[in-house]
Amino acid sequence: MNLKYFLSSFGLLTVGLALSSTSAQAFTFTTNLAPGSTDPKGDIFLQSVTLGNGTTVSNFSLVNSATIISNDSWTGGNTGAASSDRGDNASGVKLEAATNASIVASLGNLNLNNIIDTEDTGSFKINVSFEQAVSNLFFWERGMNSRLGVQALDGSGNLIGNLLVLDSRTWQWAGFSIDTTEISSAQRVGSLGVSLADLGVSGPIQSIQLTSSRSFNGPDFKVVGEAAAVPEPTTIAGLAIAGLGMAAARRRQNKKA
């Protein structure tokens, strides 16, 4: 059996659906930066995060594809919605009229001074996928004054679970500030973690939809996933055999009936 196909099918079987949008329960974490990542205008690299129970996470899964469903058009100045932004002196991409490729360039690395910048009244809807399935999501938001919608997607790109609205005004300070090309001075960065339970699903996911509306005050954000543990081959084989056994038992019962 194809491992990728089996994991995808098993994940879909374990997805739990919710009925409506909800505010984030979420969790806090500590951001651990790589040594020397202190310049608000320069590269600021994520090394790991520490959860509330003391566990340190460094097995990250990064965004590797993006599809812009909708994004207010940029016509110059402070128009449009989501754009690719970076620290004034940081490596990375700056592009006002964001593309799928620029979204990946901004989110698909551990440089926390590469972000998606959203104009104050901008609206967008963007689907992003991670290089491997994730069990937690870690968000950072420059300015700590905006909201961002997050919802899980299944393997076919369908929305599942809760539409979760994150309000960065309630987030904890991540311990650093950034100064990007879109602003004139450094702003504090907030952080918040989102679990599968927060999203209303019970199995690892590989894609999410990110949204902003005119009332969200322009989220300026970064998201990184925690790579989900992959079952050992023997465990997968056992699950497959168990599934075949259950199917055979049902067939026998049907014949008897």
Side-chain angles (χ1 to χ4, degrees):
M1 180 181 289
N2 181 281
L3 175 61
K4 183 175 181 181
Y5 174 80
F6 180 83
L7 288 175
S8 176
S9 300
F10 183 72
L12 289 176
L13 288 173
T14 60
V15 168
L17 298 182
L19 298 177
S20 61
S21 64
T22 181
S23 296
Q25 301 300 312
F27 60 89
T28 60
F29 62 87
T30 301
T31 302
N32 305 312
L33 302 177
S37 296
T38 58
D39 180 5
K41 294 185 178 183
D43 292 326
I44 298 179
F45 288 105
L46 174 66
Q47 186 171 57
S48 64
V49 303
T50 301
L51 307 182
N53 62 6
T55 301
T56 296
V57 175
S58 59
N59 56 322
F60 297 119
S61 180
L62 304 177
V63 169
N64 69 347
S65 70
T67 301
I68 298 174
I69 307 301
S70 62
N71 192 28
D72 292 351
S73 299
W74 181 72
T75 57
N78 293 323
T79 62
S83 62
S84 288
D85 196 13
R86 58 171 174 78
D88 289 341
N89 302 323
S91 57
V93 173
K94 170 179 168 51
L95 187 64
E96 290 284 3
T99 63
N100 293 338
S102 80
I103 297 293
V104 173
S106 295
L107 298 180
N109 57 61
L110 294 178
N111 191 344
L112 298 181
N113 219 349
N114 284 185
I115 64 171
I116 299 303
D117 177 282
T118 310
E119 299 303 333
D120 291 348
T121 59
S123 298
F124 66 76
K125 183 180 296 183
I126 302 171
N127 292 349
V128 300
S129 296
F130 297 87
E131 54 196 358
Q132 63 187 99
V134 300
S135 55
N136 284 308
L137 297 170
F138 305 110
F139 285 89
W140 292 265
E141 205 271 333
R142 187 200 69 203
M144 301 175 65
N145 59 358
S146 304
R147 291 189 292 166
L148 176 67
V150 184
Q151 190 164 1
L153 298 168
D154 66 15
S156 299
N158 300 308
L159 291 167
I160 55 176
N162 302 322
L163 169 58
L164 196 64
V165 178
L166 308 177
D167 189 338
S168 68
R169 292 174 297 181
T170 66
W171 297 9
Q172 72 171 9
W173 181 42
F176 68 98
S177 300
I178 59 175
D179 185 354
T180 68
T181 64
E182 292 280 335
I183 56 178
S184 58
S185 61
Q187 293 182 349
R188 286 156 61 96
V189 174
S191 63
L192 187 73
V194 172
S195 70
L196 297 175
D198 294 326
L199 292 172
V201 299
S202 57
I205 57 172
Q206 198 146 356
S207 303
I208 56 175
Q209 184 172 99
L210 301 166
T211 56
S212 177
S213 68
R214 292 180 62 86
S215 63
F216 281 16
N217 197 39
D220 307 315
F221 66 93
K222 181 88 171 188
V223 59
V224 172
E226 177 185 0
V230 178
E232 294 293 333
T234 53
T235 302
I236 295 173
L239 289 170
I241 292 170
L244 291 173
M246 292 173 64
R250 282 195 296 270
R251 285 196 296 271
R252 287 195 296 270
Q253 290 175 351
N254 291 337
K255 286 181 179 179
K256 291 179 180 179

